[in-house]
Amino acid sequence: MKIRAIVPVTTNELEAVALGPLSAAARPDTEISVTSLDTGPASLESRYEDAMAVPDLVEKVVQAEEDGLDAVISDCMGDTGVEAAREKVSIPVIGPAETSMHIAAMLGHKFSVVTVLDRLIPLVDQRAIRTGLTGKLASVRTVKIPVLELDGRDRLLNALVDESVKAVREDGAHVIILGCTDMAGVAKDLEERLKKHGISDVPVIDPTVLALKIAEALTDMGLSHSKRTYPAPPKKEILGY
Amino acid sequence: MKIRAIVPVTTNELEAVALGPLSAAARPDTEISVTSLDTGPASLESRYEDAMAVPDLVEKVVQAEEDGLDAVISDCMGDTGVEAAREKVSIPVIGPAETSMHIAAMLGHKFSVVTVLDRLIPLVDQRAIRTGLTGKLASVRTVKIPVLELDGRDRLLNALVDESVKAVREDGAHVIILGCTDMAGVAKDLEERLKKHGISDVPVIDPTVLALKIAEALTDMGLSHSKRTYPAPPKKEILGY
Amino acid sequence: MKIRAIVPVTTNELEAVALGPLSAAARPDTEISVTSLDTGPASLESRYEDAMAVPDLVEKVVQAEEDGLDAVISDCMGDTGVEAAREKVSIPVIGPAETSMHIAAMLGHKFSVVTVLDRLIPLVDQRAIRTGLTGKLASVRTVKIPVLELDGRDRLLNALVDESVKAVREDGAHVIILGCTDMAGVAKDLEERLKKHGISDVPVIDPTVLALKIAEALTDMGLSHSKRTYPAPPKKEILGY
Amino acid sequence: MKIRAIVPVTTNELEAVALGPLSAAARPDTEISVTSLDTGPASLESRYEDAMAVPDLVEKVVQAEEDGLDAVISDCMGDTGVEAAREKVSIPVIGPAETSMHIAAMLGHKFSVVTVLDRLIPLVDQRAIRTGLTGKLASVRTVKIPVLELDGRDRLLNALVDESVKAVREDGAHVIILGCTDMAGVAKDLEERLKKHGISDVPVIDPTVLALKIAEALTDMGLSHSKRTYPAPPKKEILGY
Amino acid sequence: MKIRAIVPVTTNELEAVALGPLSAAARPDTEISVTSLDTGPASLESRYEDAMAVPDLVEKVVQAEEDGLDAVISDCMGDTGVEAAREKVSIPVIGPAETSMHIAAMLGHKFSVVTVLDRLIPLVDQRAIRTGLTGKLASVRTVKIPVLELDGRDRLLNALVDESVKAVREDGAHVIILGCTDMAGVAKDLEERLKKHGISDVPVIDPTVLALKIAEALTDMGLSHSKRTYPAPPKKEILGY
Amino acid sequence: MKIRAIVPVTTNELEAVALGPLSAAARPDTEISVTSLDTGPASLESRYEDAMAVPDLVEKVVQAEEDGLDAVISDCMGDTGVEAAREKVSIPVIGPAETSMHIAAMLGHKFSVVTVLDRLIPLVDQRAIRTGLTGKLASVRTVKIPVLELDGRDRLLNALVDESVKAVREDGAHVIILGCTDMAGVAKDLEERLKKHGISDVPVIDPTVLALKIAEALTDMGLSHSKRTYPAPPKKEILGY
């Protein structure tokens, strides 16, 4: 099957950040492609930037369906534009945050999300409210590193370890969700580092990879989003697009 | 004070639909202006159209602050773009749906929203979830008339009466919220018609007018949205805008 | 329009505490009056005292409607007697606590209430439960000063600053609600003091003033509480009253 | 032990309505007394009447403690004044509505309350919200008979059967709570009548009797309400009382 | 009446731990018996052990009904097997955890449970979720002593005092529930010890004793679990039992 | 990878009912095995039968891990014994009900579960409460056919269509979950039949197949249940097992 991750930013270097872990995790019969946006922000760290990314994200999702893709991932923890895009296509449009929260809720008693900046805390809270899983959210913690500086893996891992240890010890987290898709690829390293701190019983979820595996699962089953929830928009001109 | 309603569609005939009730309801010292979008959809009946309206809505909000307006209303029951816009300005950005739900919850035990089309029911439900007021939402009902046909006031009023009576009698509503800002101006007519059906004890909320009155109240108090919740976005180029 | 604040205690010196901020905040065309009780407690710091204030509060509300007032405020953060009073009249009867919580929920992600004494914490919690807004309540904190000693403004402001800083930094509050109507008039001072502590992005709500502004807004719209929720009591003698 | 039911109305004929079932249900070593109010309304069918009953109810509770009673019941499904009274005494003050809801939630999946008048539906809903048991409340139904006409037992039982059958068949109730303490004594009759309608598996709770049995249980254990939740009110004069 | 506590473990020394407090608390006309299991674990400190105790617990409950008992208690804070057992009999089957949480919610604003081991925290949380009382649960704390070592009363009391003080001071608990039925008999000692720490206003609930008193109350009223919720299982062979 | 479904009943004919759809849905590299119990009930239609199935289910799960399986499914909509089993092993133990509810919540606004018998409605409700997804549960409906008669596929499909249509039209379901794993294999037939009733936009989830696909996804990622939530039980003898 063919699955495409759309990184909803114009920084196309981030395509490679996603492609590595996705290719490594894909089943042999899954063909992965990654694309990013032509119009929109360089990174997503606010509601405003998220909103400005949606029009092109939707277009890229429509293009993916036309290209014969089986499922797409909006590869950002804001689940950027997934609801709007689901109206325009019939293939599954996966949001990593929503997916991670549901699976984390199945895997353990409570989960914490470790994201980049304090300003995103309300957005993660809102995402949990929308899923209905607030009772399972132990905490939202932040590494206090902007998205475009996440490539310093040592700095990132150290901060992730610090915050994850606090999430487990102080907040009662039993599962950790990486809170930014640009942290892709560090989940297993983080699990290893946590073991050195005596925490060997807490799974770490990489949302991008999980989104891929759930996309594969839904495609295998011929399941997609309910068109009763996400009916096609009325036919109308959209001025300026 | 100066308050502007931005109708987040490109159908600029709808400016007049808003201007009448707003001018009638404004305080003597409130100067009302209404504008609509240059780019975006003709009407908002889907998540997709809502998303496509946001970029220009935000620009119009920023323009309003630069023009010295005291507060703005995103004049649509989707509260289109209010969260993104709040990040970009310091003046209050009022969403009629959110505002109506909070005030309705103060006025009576449970409220119903009567909106246009069945496809919008999940969106109204989501708005209630976001406010925390799901326990107060008696039902969401629909007149089954597309937005651009709402100008047939008799047809609209008849359908509103039918659905409001059912909301009160069958669903236990004690307050009715008009579910589309393009129903502006019919609240008092609906209250009168309900009295003829023996329902003289149920207030009807016109969300556009309520948004104006709350905008006036907040402006008087020098209150606006918390910038801790809605901090200014990082300085970054947005390609294509 | 004419709006009356009824301070539900017999300490009539507190009328002046309310009158200042209310007069300053009222629209030019709003005529403010303030009254207090003839029977009842000197201050409200318990459920018992609150209950003993209600009979006279209701009588004062009925009198206000007979006097041609457009709306009344029960000027206490216990929203003393508002539900009983709403049954007896048709004009809006505003509760400052309920109103502040709904508006705070619109202005920011989470709010804290800073009230006077620890013994009132469950009462504030209950008020939040009743509104449905528990998910938005970051914390209830206390200045540990009895109501009748609140006139020491320096001591009050220092304590308010201390607790508000903790509410923001430790509890995640994005909006502060003054938790006692006898703190009236210090909201802007508190905002200024918070700025000196590096917190310039958190609005502070003065519940008495907000109640006035919402009363004005509802009166302008001809909106009042649903008589379906608050129907007139059956005609019956009340022995002893 | 000595337990007193205080019927919070001035209709002292209702003392006998309570005394019969209470005496029949009391343990041999429990001495029952019933009293009613000197000041207040003839019956409780509104928030206003409830509020007007509280001052004398509290006085009667204080008197009961002084008289050496072990526990008191505020014998009305409004749980009239229980929170205010708990502050003034150390003995248990039992509310029949609250108690019935907690025990019903232990006995079955969902419960319905069948009360007297539609106007009381929001009050029962609020009581459920306060207990946290809204998820267990199948419905609130009404026999549409005023309190002071409840002595027509045939009319009452017929209406109770009709509404209870609907509560079970249509609303999914597995337990029925009698919604007015003046229905005291009909629980077992109602259970019998339901059996004739093929419903032999639904317990019916008589709140007055249950309140007595829980009062006995708490007294045996030396348990009462937490004084941390219900601390004694500050010493202050209450003008007019 | 005759009430039996079934300790759902094979350590029959624990029968005596239960019998003492139960006999002391029983009414003169209540005949207490205590039994334990023939097959199952020595103590219950995991979901697995709980599951392995259920088959024999159910058999013991069925035997109790055949023996003419009026009610049974599954004497463990896991409420071991109560739901399965209720299907097999018509007499009340009381779970101490569920019962304690409902009564604690009536007695105070929030309660904490102090149990034995950290691994049981999610199980107590789940029990609260099931009752609907999560909003009333201040915290779950642990003495970090395995069940079979609880007979060291000094060590136990010291740890209970430490954790209860923290529950009150840091978590806002107004009622304490002993979190393991093998702590039976220490409630009053703990209340005394808390007074020495200045906490004289917090009731402590002994779940085993409370279960007995509620069993007595329900039996007096002829109330038992709804057979609509707990219908008899279909007649079928169970291989191996 | 190797995945085993354990049908937690002793009716080993039901192994074949599961094996067909599982084999058809498995990835080429997934080796499916199905087993059933040696001790326990013939079918699961009550809490009692569920409890009696758990001991052997746990043993079969332990055996599966010893046999080198990668994941197991407890193939029943009661998620029989999954929590106890997770404590005993490190491989994922998947519950079809829990999994279906989480995925359904991702796919649409609200879901309904169509199960076999009315007596199971509270159990499905409880499962939803446990996941936190009650706000997404539109209804639980029943075909009123005992499990062991589900092999009459025409009768089953007709009843499923009737109830699913009502779930969509009357209850607002946007996704349907088959409520018994012995309905395995009819999801696509049901979707087709619904289209003939004009409902072409509602996905139908087969819980057994979904459990397999999620098991594959988790195994690929090296994810399993949090051992912090499900720590290994203490080492103790279990008498009689």
Side-chain angles (χ1 to χ4, degrees):
Chain A
M1 75 184 71
K2 296 194 283 183
I3 293 175
R4 180 170 296 166
I6 305 170
V7 189
V9 297
T10 53
T11 308
N12 48 30
E13 292 84 354
L14 289 173
E15 294 176 19
V17 173
L19 186 59
L22 286 171
S23 298
R27 288 155 37 178
D29 58 336
T30 300
E31 186 182 317
I32 299 289
S33 55
V34 180
T35 186
S36 56
L37 301 189
D38 296 312
T39 65
S43 64
L44 296 188
E45 295 166 319
S46 66
R47 298 170 185 86
Y48 167 67
E49 292 164 329
D50 188 273
M52 298 308 282
V54 174
D56 200 25
L57 179 279
V58 175
E59 192 161 314
K60 295 287 183 287
V61 171
V62 171
Q63 186 62 47
E65 188 176 54
E66 286 172 4
D67 292 351
L69 272 286
D70 291 294
V72 293
I73 299 162
S74 172
D75 192 29
C76 176
M77 282 299 274
D79 291 353
T80 307
V82 294
E83 303 223 327
R86 285 167 187 168
E87 292 187 337
K88 293 285 284 182
V89 299
S90 294
I91 57 174
V93 180
I94 309 295
E98 180 184 55
T99 307
S100 297
M101 288 181 181
H102 280 292
I103 299 299
M106 285 172 51
L107 293 185
H109 184 53
K110 296 203 178 181
F111 59 84
S112 285
V113 178
V114 186
T115 186
V116 284
L117 300 174
D118 280 1
R119 55 178 300 146
L120 298 177
I121 294 176
L123 285 77
V124 178
D125 277 351
Q126 285 297 340
R127 205 70 197 149
I129 289 170
R130 209 197 161 310
T131 58
L133 298 171
T134 44
K136 300 267 187 176
L137 180 64
S139 60
V140 186
R141 287 185 167 270
T142 60
V143 292
K144 296 174 180 56
I145 304 174
V147 171
L148 298 179
E149 299 177 22
L150 287 178
D151 52 352
R153 291 281 138 158
D154 259 2
R155 179 183 169 202
L156 170 60
L157 257 176
N158 287 340
L160 279 172
V161 169
D162 286 354
E163 296 302 322
S164 298
V165 168
K166 286 184 208 158
V168 171
R169 297 251 163 85
E170 298 174 21
D171 310 333
H174 289 195
V175 180
I176 299 290
I177 298 175
L178 297 178
C180 177
T181 49
D182 295 316
M183 296 173 182
V186 306
K188 292 302 164 193
D189 283 352
L190 177 56
E191 279 188 5
E192 285 312 306
R193 297 277 284 266
L194 287 174
K195 279 179 195 162
K196 290 181 192 157
H197 284 73
I199 298 174
S200 59
D201 49 7
V202 170
V204 177
I205 291 181
D206 179 320
T208 299
V209 172
L210 182 64
L212 166 66
K213 302 315 291 184
I214 298 302
E216 290 176 340
L218 295 177
T219 301
D220 268 359
M221 290 185 72
L223 278 175
S224 187
H225 293 90
S226 170
K227 291 306 284 183
R228 203 162 185 98
T229 302
Y230 302 105
K235 298 275 178 213
K236 265 180 251 167
E237 193 187 7
I238 308 285
L239 284 184
Y241 290 91
Chain B
M1 77 185 70
K2 294 194 284 181
I3 293 175
R4 181 171 294 166
I6 305 171
V7 190
V9 297
T10 54
T11 307
N12 46 31
E13 293 84 352
L14 289 174
E15 294 176 18
V17 173
L19 186 59
L22 286 171
S23 299
R27 289 156 37 177
D29 59 335
T30 301
E31 186 182 317
I32 297 291
S33 56
V34 179
T35 187
S36 57
L37 302 189
D38 297 312
T39 64
S43 64
L44 296 189
E45 295 167 319
S46 65
R47 297 169 185 86
Y48 167 67
E49 291 164 329
D50 188 272
M52 299 307 282
V54 173
D56 199 25
L57 179 280
V58 174
E59 191 160 314
K60 295 286 183 289
V61 171
V62 171
Q63 186 62 49
E65 188 176 54
E66 287 171 2
D67 291 351
L69 273 287
D70 292 293
V72 292
I73 299 162
S74 172
D75 192 30
C76 176
M77 282 298 276
D79 290 353
T80 307
V82 294
E83 304 224 324
R86 285 168 186 166
E87 292 186 337
K88 293 285 283 182
V89 298
S90 294
I91 57 174
V93 181
I94 309 293
E98 181 186 53
T99 307
S100 298
M101 288 180 181
H102 279 292
I103 299 298
M106 285 172 52
L107 294 184
H109 183 53
K110 295 203 177 180
F111 60 82
S112 284
V113 178
V114 185
T115 186
V116 285
L117 300 174
D118 280 1
R119 58 178 298 147
L120 298 177
I121 293 175
L123 284 76
V124 178
D125 277 350
Q126 285 298 339
R127 206 69 196 147
I129 289 170
R130 210 197 160 309
T131 59
L133 298 170
T134 44
K136 300 267 187 177
L137 179 64
S139 59
V140 186
R141 288 186 166 270
T142 60
V143 292
K144 295 172 180 59
I145 304 174
V147 171
L148 297 179
E149 299 177 23
L150 288 178
D151 52 353
R153 291 280 140 159
D154 260 2
R155 180 184 170 202
L156 170 59
L157 258 175
N158 287 339
L160 279 173
V161 169
D162 286 353
E163 295 303 321
S164 298
V165 168
K166 284 184 209 158
V168 171
R169 297 249 164 85
E170 298 173 20
D171 310 333
H174 288 196
V175 180
I176 298 291
I177 298 174
L178 297 179
C180 177
T181 49
D182 295 317
M183 297 173 181
V186 306
K188 292 303 164 192
D189 284 352
L190 177 55
E191 278 189 4
E192 287 310 307
R193 297 277 286 266
L194 288 175
K195 281 179 193 163
K196 291 183 190 156
H197 284 74
I199 298 173
S200 59
D201 49 8
V202 170
V204 177
I205 291 181
D206 179 319
T208 298
V209 173
L210 182 64
L212 166 65
K213 304 314 292 185
I214 298 303
E216 290 177 340
L218 294 177
T219 301
D220 268 359
M221 291 185 71
L223 277 175
S224 188
H225 293 91
S226 170
K227 293 305 287 183
R228 205 164 183 96
T229 303
Y230 302 104
K235 299 276 178 212
K236 265 179 249 165
E237 191 186 9
I238 309 286
L239 283 185
Y241 290 92
Chain C
M1 75 185 69
K2 296 194 284 184
I3 293 175
R4 181 170 295 166
I6 305 170
V7 188
V9 297
T10 54
T11 307
N12 46 30
E13 293 83 353
L14 289 174
E15 294 176 17
V17 173
L19 186 60
L22 286 172
S23 299
R27 289 155 37 177
D29 59 336
T30 300
E31 187 182 317
I32 298 289
S33 55
V34 179
T35 187
S36 56
L37 301 189
D38 295 313
T39 64
S43 64
L44 297 188
E45 295 166 319
S46 66
R47 296 170 186 87
Y48 166 67
E49 291 163 328
D50 188 273
M52 299 307 282
V54 173
D56 200 25
L57 178 280
V58 175
E59 192 161 312
K60 295 286 182 287
V61 171
V62 170
Q63 186 61 49
E65 187 176 52
E66 287 171 3
D67 291 351
L69 272 286
D70 290 294
V72 293
I73 298 162
S74 173
D75 192 29
C76 176
M77 282 300 274
D79 290 354
T80 307
V82 294
E83 303 224 325
R86 284 168 187 167
E87 292 187 337
K88 293 285 283 181
V89 298
S90 293
I91 56 174
V93 181
I94 309 294
E98 181 185 54
T99 306
S100 298
M101 288 180 181
H102 280 293
I103 299 298
M106 285 171 51
L107 294 185
H109 183 53
K110 297 204 176 180
F111 59 85
S112 285
V113 178
V114 185
T115 186
V116 284
L117 300 174
D118 280 2
R119 55 178 299 145
L120 298 176
I121 293 175
L123 284 78
V124 178
D125 277 351
Q126 285 297 339
R127 205 69 197 149
I129 289 171
R130 210 199 158 309
T131 58
L133 298 172
T134 43
K136 300 267 187 177
L137 180 63
S139 60
V140 186
R141 288 185 167 270
T142 60
V143 291
K144 295 173 182 55
I145 304 175
V147 171
L148 298 179
E149 300 176 23
L150 288 178
D151 52 353
R153 292 280 139 157
D154 259 2
R155 179 183 170 204
L156 171 59
L157 258 175
N158 287 339
L160 280 172
V161 169
D162 285 354
E163 296 302 323
S164 299
V165 167
K166 285 184 209 157
V168 171
R169 296 251 165 84
E170 297 173 21
D171 310 333
H174 288 194
V175 180
I176 298 291
I177 298 175
L178 297 178
C180 177
T181 50
D182 295 316
M183 296 172 182
V186 307
K188 293 301 165 194
D189 284 352
L190 178 55
E191 278 188 4
E192 286 311 308
R193 297 277 285 265
L194 288 174
K195 281 178 194 163
K196 291 182 193 159
H197 284 73
I199 297 174
S200 58
D201 49 7
V202 170
V204 176
I205 291 182
D206 179 320
T208 299
V209 172
L210 182 64
L212 166 65
K213 304 315 290 183
I214 298 301
E216 290 177 338
L218 294 177
T219 301
D220 268 359
M221 291 186 71
L223 277 176
S224 187
H225 293 90
S226 170
K227 291 306 286 183
R228 203 163 186 98
T229 302
Y230 301 104
K235 298 274 179 215
K236 264 179 250 168
E237 194 187 6
I238 308 286
L239 284 182
Y241 290 92
Chain D
M1 76 185 70
K2 295 194 285 182
I3 292 174
R4 181 170 296 165
I6 304 170
V7 189
V9 297
T10 54
T11 306
N12 47 29
E13 293 83 353
L14 288 174
E15 294 176 18
V17 173
L19 186 59
L22 286 172
S23 299
R27 288 156 37 178
D29 58 337
T30 301
E31 187 183 318
I32 298 290
S33 55
V34 179
T35 187
S36 56
L37 301 188
D38 296 311
T39 64
S43 64
L44 296 189
E45 295 167 319
S46 66
R47 297 171 186 84
Y48 167 68
E49 292 164 330
D50 188 273
M52 299 307 282
V54 173
D56 200 26
L57 179 279
V58 175
E59 192 161 311
K60 297 286 183 287
V61 171
V62 171
Q63 186 61 50
E65 188 176 54
E66 287 171 3
D67 292 350
L69 273 286
D70 292 293
V72 293
I73 299 162
S74 173
D75 192 29
C76 177
M77 282 298 275
D79 290 354
T80 307
V82 294
E83 303 223 327
R86 285 169 187 165
E87 291 186 337
K88 292 286 282 182
V89 299
S90 294
I91 57 175
V93 181
I94 309 293
E98 180 185 55
T99 307
S100 298
M101 287 180 181
H102 280 292
I103 299 298
M106 285 171 51
L107 294 184
H109 183 54
K110 296 202 176 179
F111 59 84
S112 284
V113 178
V114 186
T115 186
V116 285
L117 300 174
D118 280 2
R119 57 178 299 146
L120 298 176
I121 294 175
L123 284 76
V124 178
D125 277 350
Q126 285 297 339
R127 206 69 197 147
I129 289 170
R130 209 197 160 311
T131 58
L133 298 171
T134 44
K136 299 268 186 176
L137 179 63
S139 59
V140 186
R141 287 186 167 268
T142 60
V143 292
K144 296 171 181 58
I145 303 174
V147 170
L148 297 179
E149 299 176 23
L150 287 178
D151 52 352
R153 291 282 138 158
D154 259 3
R155 180 184 170 202
L156 171 59
L157 258 175
N158 287 339
L160 279 172
V161 169
D162 286 354
E163 296 302 322
S164 298
V165 167
K166 284 184 209 158
V168 172
R169 297 249 164 86
E170 298 173 20
D171 309 333
H174 288 195
V175 179
I176 299 290
I177 298 176
L178 296 179
C180 178
T181 49
D182 296 316
M183 296 173 181
V186 307
K188 292 301 165 194
D189 284 353
L190 177 55
E191 278 188 3
E192 286 310 307
R193 297 278 283 267
L194 287 175
K195 281 179 192 160
K196 290 183 190 155
H197 285 73
I199 297 174
S200 58
D201 49 7
V202 170
V204 176
I205 291 181
D206 180 319
T208 299
V209 173
L210 182 64
L212 166 65
K213 304 314 293 182
I214 298 302
E216 291 177 338
L218 294 178
T219 302
D220 268 0
M221 290 185 73
L223 277 176
S224 188
H225 293 90
S226 170
K227 292 306 285 182
R228 204 163 184 97
T229 303
Y230 302 105
K235 299 275 178 213
K236 267 179 248 166
E237 193 187 7
I238 309 285
L239 284 184
Y241 290 92
Chain E
M1 77 184 69
K2 296 194 283 185
I3 292 175
R4 180 170 296 165
I6 305 170
V7 189
V9 297
T10 54
T11 307
N12 47 30
E13 292 83 353
L14 289 174
E15 295 177 17
V17 174
L19 187 58
L22 286 171
S23 299
R27 289 157 36 180
D29 59 335
T30 300
E31 187 181 316
I32 298 290
S33 55
V34 179
T35 187
S36 57
L37 301 188
D38 297 312
T39 63
S43 64
L44 297 188
E45 295 167 318
S46 65
R47 297 169 185 87
Y48 167 68
E49 291 164 331
D50 188 273
M52 299 307 282
V54 174
D56 200 25
L57 179 280
V58 175
E59 191 161 313
K60 296 287 183 286
V61 171
V62 171
Q63 186 61 48
E65 188 176 54
E66 286 172 1
D67 291 351
L69 273 286
D70 292 293
V72 293
I73 298 162
S74 173
D75 192 29
C76 176
M77 282 298 276
D79 291 352
T80 307
V82 294
E83 303 224 325
R86 285 168 186 166
E87 291 186 338
K88 293 286 282 183
V89 299
S90 294
I91 57 175
V93 181
I94 309 294
E98 180 185 54
T99 306
S100 298
M101 288 181 181
H102 280 293
I103 299 298
M106 285 171 52
L107 294 184
H109 183 53
K110 296 204 178 180
F111 59 84
S112 285
V113 178
V114 186
T115 187
V116 284
L117 299 174
D118 280 1
R119 56 177 300 146
L120 297 177
I121 293 176
L123 285 76
V124 178
D125 277 350
Q126 284 298 339
R127 206 68 197 150
I129 289 170
R130 209 198 160 309
T131 59
L133 299 171
T134 43
K136 301 266 187 177
L137 179 63
S139 60
V140 186
R141 288 186 167 269
T142 60
V143 291
K144 295 174 181 58
I145 304 175
V147 171
L148 298 178
E149 299 176 24
L150 288 178
D151 52 353
R153 292 281 139 158
D154 260 1
R155 178 184 172 204
L156 171 60
L157 258 175
N158 287 340
L160 279 173
V161 169
D162 286 353
E163 297 302 322
S164 299
V165 167
K166 284 184 210 158
V168 170
R169 298 250 164 85
E170 298 174 20
D171 310 332
H174 289 195
V175 180
I176 298 290
I177 299 175
L178 297 178
C180 177
T181 49
D182 295 317
M183 296 172 182
V186 306
K188 293 301 165 194
D189 284 351
L190 177 55
E191 278 188 5
E192 287 311 308
R193 297 278 284 266
L194 287 175
K195 281 178 193 161
K196 291 183 191 155
H197 284 72
I199 297 174
S200 60
D201 50 7
V202 170
V204 177
I205 291 181
D206 179 320
T208 299
V209 173
L210 182 65
L212 166 65
K213 303 314 291 184
I214 298 301
E216 289 177 339
L218 294 178
T219 301
D220 268 0
M221 291 185 71
L223 278 176
S224 187
H225 292 91
S226 170
K227 292 305 286 183
R228 202 161 185 99
T229 303
Y230 301 104
K235 299 274 179 214
K236 264 179 252 168
E237 193 186 7
I238 308 286
L239 284 183
Y241 290 92
Chain F
M1 74 185 70
K2 294 194 284 181
I3 292 175
R4 180 172 296 167
I6 305 171
V7 189
V9 296
T10 54
T11 308
N12 48 30
E13 293 83 354
L14 288 173
E15 295 176 17
V17 173
L19 186 59
L22 286 172
S23 298
R27 287 156 38 177
D29 59 335
T30 301
E31 187 183 318
I32 299 290
S33 55
V34 180
T35 186
S36 56
L37 302 189
D38 296 313
T39 65
S43 64
L44 295 189
E45 295 165 319
S46 66
R47 297 170 185 85
Y48 166 68
E49 292 165 329
D50 188 273
M52 299 307 283
V54 173
D56 200 25
L57 179 280
V58 174
E59 191 161 314
K60 296 287 182 289
V61 171
V62 172
Q63 186 62 49
E65 187 176 55
E66 287 172 3
D67 292 350
L69 273 286
D70 292 292
V72 293
I73 299 162
S74 173
D75 192 29
C76 177
M77 282 298 275
D79 291 353
T80 307
V82 294
E83 303 223 325
R86 284 168 187 167
E87 292 186 337
K88 293 285 282 183
V89 299
S90 294
I91 57 174
V93 181
I94 309 293
E98 180 184 54
T99 307
S100 298
M101 288 180 180
H102 279 292
I103 299 298
M106 285 172 51
L107 294 184
H109 183 53
K110 295 202 177 181
F111 59 84
S112 284
V113 178
V114 186
T115 185
V116 284
L117 300 174
D118 280 2
R119 58 177 298 146
L120 298 177
I121 293 175
L123 284 77
V124 178
D125 277 351
Q126 285 297 341
R127 205 71 197 146
I129 289 170
R130 209 195 161 312
T131 58
L133 298 172
T134 44
K136 300 267 188 177
L137 180 62
S139 60
V140 186
R141 289 186 164 269
T142 60
V143 292
K144 295 172 180 57
I145 303 175
V147 170
L148 297 179
E149 300 176 24
L150 287 178
D151 53 351
R153 291 282 138 159
D154 259 2
R155 180 185 169 201
L156 171 60
L157 257 175
N158 287 339
L160 280 172
V161 168
D162 286 354
E163 296 303 322
S164 298
V165 167
K166 284 183 208 157
V168 171
R169 297 249 164 86
E170 298 173 20
D171 309 333
H174 288 194
V175 179
I176 299 291
I177 298 175
L178 297 178
C180 177
T181 48
D182 295 317
M183 296 172 181
V186 307
K188 292 302 165 192
D189 284 352
L190 177 55
E191 278 188 4
E192 287 309 308
R193 297 277 284 266
L194 287 174
K195 281 179 193 164
K196 291 182 191 157
H197 285 72
I199 298 173
S200 58
D201 49 8
V202 170
V204 177
I205 291 181
D206 179 320
T208 299
V209 172
L210 182 65
L212 166 64
K213 303 314 292 184
I214 298 302
E216 290 177 338
L218 295 177
T219 302
D220 268 0
M221 290 185 71
L223 278 175
S224 188
H225 292 90
S226 169
K227 292 305 284 183
R228 204 163 185 96
T229 303
Y230 302 105
K235 298 276 178 213
K236 267 179 247 166
E237 192 188 8
I238 308 285
L239 284 184
Y241 291 92

